[in-house]
Amino acid sequence: MGLTSASRREFLRRAGALSAVGAAGAPFAFNLATLGAAAAQTAPTDYKALVCVFLLGGNDSFNTVLATDPDSWIAYNAVRQGPGDAIALLPPGAPGDPAAAPESPARLGGVLALAPQRSAVGRGLSLHPMLGTLQSMFNVERRMGIVANVGPLVVATSKAQYRLARHPRPEKLYSHNDQQSAWQAFAPEGATLGWGGRMADLLLSQNDRGSLFTAVSASGSAVWLAGREVRQYQVSPSGPIRMALDASHRLLGSAEAGAALQRIVTTPRSMNLLQRAYADTSKRSIEAERVLGAALATVEGSPVFGSDADMHYIHPLTGAATRNTLAQQLRIVAKMIAAAGALGVKRQVFFVSFVSFDTHDFQNRNHTDLMARLAHGLRYFDTVLGRLGAQDKVTTFTASDFGRMFTSNGDGTDHGWGAHQFVMGGAVQGGDVYGTFPTYGLRNAAGNDFSSPDQVEGNGSLLPSVSVDQYAATLGRWFGLSEQQLLDVLPNLRNFTQRDLGFMRL
């Protein structure tokens, strides 16, 4: 049975979404989606990119950005000193004890004080001891901002409203897959359109020659990149994903065998529209790999991107130089940004991620290492963008499934809701905290609530005060979207009075 034209379009849409089957599967067949519409407009002379760094598993914000004023510190210590292993960090200025266990807060020393320019007056804020480079970007270089207590929300929600069954709230809170999807696409698992891809849809006409490389993932499939016209193109940290061929497009050392394999996958064996669409997508995928490979060849070998040693960080527990997968992903992103002119792109969205933030166990050990990797990766990327003269053109921001609970489970933390996020770049109004930093409370005698208006349940999870829609709108406005376009892309934005959090320079 043949396909209707509408069915064929749907097949191609789904084919693009299947591009993440992995190098061991058949990414060559689906690594590229349709070209998409590119209206004839005069392309702007400027370049802009959004880079999403997704912390998979749910980052513990309570030990990432901390309030250190006396009342906050009393509550923090009362809750995080036990039961079981203490997960409370030491106060600012506390010396580290080199004789303490490598995974213990005592070994790390005190948290790192922040100096916000205007916000959080009288609160006292600090970062995890492993985030020294981010402290410098915040306090000194002013290219780092912090957005406090962000999370999925349908409407602004107070603690009293949260307790009302009729008050709108996001679906399937505390679930990894559903909340990753909620952050990226405003709906539980199964959503097909992400806000990064939808923003790229609206600016696609500016990429008249490079629409194929508008939405790029260095970390497998990400619904955040999925648009109606834009489909994500996947790369590996080493570059384009090839169809079982080497860099010269040979198979088993043979150019003839490589050419034969390409003919097989790009030639339909019948007139069936499904096979023809498959072959057409495969052909364009191979052609795109050639284009990207050639563009990256113009920047490969440049000292701008550093050496292999720059892909390593010092593991805080072992002291050994250890490869950082986040830095590797950000290096290929930087190379694609450097090759943007050759690729014909003026607007791009990128997705990178790394795992293991689900710290139910061994919180002290695991979270310390994660913070070291995050700091190293972001500093590396910021340095390379500086060498490229692109710091003002690229905005990097973090996201995560959710925050963690305030309480300890004895050796770690369980799933929460709101969380603090970092925004980095030359266009960021750095050196400040945006949104309302939450108040820490104490658990009541019944053990089912906290005294803070910002914490819910008996575990002290943060009730978000900033919605993902507001966070995304502030980024999208800098990226070039109009107010109406933002309302079209962000389904709940119209429910919030403040639609620009102020952390971007326009």
Side-chain angles (χ1 to χ4, degrees):
M1 180 183 295
L3 295 175
T4 65
S5 61
S7 298
R8 183 174 184 273
R9 288 195 299 272
E10 177 64 9
F11 165 76
L12 290 174
R13 186 188 69 78
R14 293 180 180 274
L18 289 173
S19 62
V21 293
F28 58 86
F30 294 115
N31 200 28
L32 185 65
T34 54
L35 287 169
Q41 295 183 7
T42 302
T45 57
D46 65 312
Y47 170 90
K48 287 185 178 181
L50 287 173
V51 181
C52 176
V53 177
F54 207 93
L55 314 179
L56 290 165
N59 179 43
D60 178 24
S61 281
F62 287 110
N63 273 15
T64 302
V65 186
L66 304 84
T68 55
D69 57 277
D71 289 344
S72 297
W73 200 253
I74 288 170
Y76 172 82
N77 269 295
V79 173
R80 292 218 147 185
Q81 283 292 348
D85 292 342
I87 58 171
L89 299 170
L90 300 187
D97 180 0
E103 68 276 10
S104 68
R107 179 73 167 265
L108 294 174
V111 294
L112 307 175
L114 294 175
Q117 297 185 86
R118 295 177 297 274
S119 59
V121 175
R123 288 297 303 274
L125 298 176
S126 294
L127 295 177
H128 189 281
M130 285 290 102
L131 298 179
T133 58
L134 304 194
Q135 180 196 35
S136 177
M137 280 193 276
F138 186 98
N139 285 350
V140 181
E141 299 158 47
R142 305 293 189 190
R143 284 197 306 281
M144 175 73 71
I146 295 168
V147 185
N149 200 10
V150 189
L153 287 171
V154 178
V155 297
T157 302
S158 69
K159 188 169 181 175
Q161 290 170 327
Y162 170 76
R163 291 169 171 162
L164 299 175
R166 66 179 182 273
H167 188 77
R169 68 171 66 178
E171 298 179 64
K172 300 183 179 180
L173 291 171
Y174 308 107
S175 161
H176 282 297
N177 292 350
D178 293 301
Q179 292 309 296
Q180 288 172 17
S181 184
W183 257 94
Q184 297 180 44
F186 303 109
E189 186 177 20
T192 57
L193 294 174
W195 57 269
R198 287 289 293 117
M199 287 183 180
D201 275 342
L202 297 170
L203 301 174
L204 186 60
S205 61
Q206 299 180 19
N207 293 348
D208 55 336
R209 291 190 298 111
S211 59
L212 302 174
F213 309 107
T214 298
V216 180
S217 174
S219 186
S221 181
V223 70
W224 183 71
L225 294 172
R228 290 196 174 95
E229 300 293 338
V230 166
R231 300 295 180 267
Q232 58 186 292
Y233 181 82
Q234 293 182 33
V235 295
S236 73
S238 59
I241 299 173
R242 296 188 172 90
M243 184 191 64
L245 306 176
D246 64 17
S248 299
H249 296 87
R250 299 176 302 178
L251 176 65
L252 303 176
S254 167
E256 292 77 9
L261 178 59
Q262 291 185 25
R263 286 195 299 272
I264 289 170
V265 299
T266 59
T267 304
R269 288 170 287 176
S270 74
M271 294 304 291
N272 181 286
L273 286 178
L274 184 66
Q275 287 196 8
R276 288 168 59 188
Y278 178 96
D280 186 51
T281 303
S282 299
K283 182 178 180 179
R284 282 180 282 118
S285 177
I286 294 168
E287 291 172 350
E289 183 270 313
R290 292 181 188 276
V291 171
L292 181 57
L296 291 178
T298 65
V299 301
E300 287 290 354
S302 170
V304 164
F305 306 105
S307 65
D308 186 67
D310 293 308
M311 297 298 98
H312 292 72
Y313 73 109
I314 301 303
H315 196 295
L317 306 182
T318 67
T322 305
R323 186 168 292 277
N324 188 351
T325 56
L326 176 61
Q328 289 181 288
Q329 293 175 61
L330 290 170
R331 179 167 61 178
I332 188 62
V333 170
K335 288 180 179 179
M336 291 194 70
I337 290 169
L343 292 171
V345 289
K346 296 291 178 66
R347 293 291 183 274
Q348 288 182 288
V349 288
F350 293 94
F351 184 89
V352 303
S353 69
F354 67 116
V355 299
S356 299
F357 282 86
D358 195 21
T359 51
H360 292 287
D361 304 297
F362 308 111
Q363 162 98 15
N364 290 330
R365 181 188 71 191
N366 294 338
H367 198 248
T368 294
D369 182 47
L370 291 165
M371 293 294 96
R373 291 168 62 191
L374 178 64
H376 170 261
L378 292 181
R379 171 56 89 182
Y380 164 79
F381 192 49
D382 180 69
T383 299
V384 172
L385 292 176
R387 294 170 184 164
L388 292 172
Q391 284 175 331
D392 292 347
K393 302 175 183 179
V394 180
T395 298
T396 305
F397 65 96
T398 62
S400 191
D401 316 17
F402 34 63
R404 313 296 292 187
M405 295 179 179
F406 194 33
T407 55
S408 167
N409 62 19
D411 190 28
T413 52
D414 298 324
H415 301 175
W417 188 358
H420 313 313
Q421 306 299 339
F422 296 110
V423 187
M424 179 183 81
V428 174
Q429 305 243 44
D432 251 319
V433 178
Y434 296 86
T436 302
F437 204 87
T439 300
Y440 302 162
L442 294 170
R443 188 153 49 180
N444 62 9
N448 60 4
D449 195 12
F450 271 73
S451 58
S452 168
D454 304 315
Q455 292 176 288
V456 294
E457 312 295 355
N459 53 54
S461 294
L462 290 179
L463 173 63
S465 57
V466 170
S467 72
V468 177
D469 301 73
Q470 293 169 291
Y471 187 48
T474 309
L475 293 164
R477 192 170 285 105
W478 169 81
F479 200 44
L481 274 69
S482 69
E483 190 68 21
Q484 185 56 54
Q485 288 174 324
L486 290 170
L487 290 170
D488 291 342
V489 169
L490 307 172
N492 300 313
L493 183 61
R494 64 188 70 254
N495 299 334
F496 297 89
T497 302
Q498 184 181 16
R499 297 174 183 173
D500 188 334
L501 300 174
F503 59 79
M504 297 300 300
R505 296 187 180 92
L506 301 180

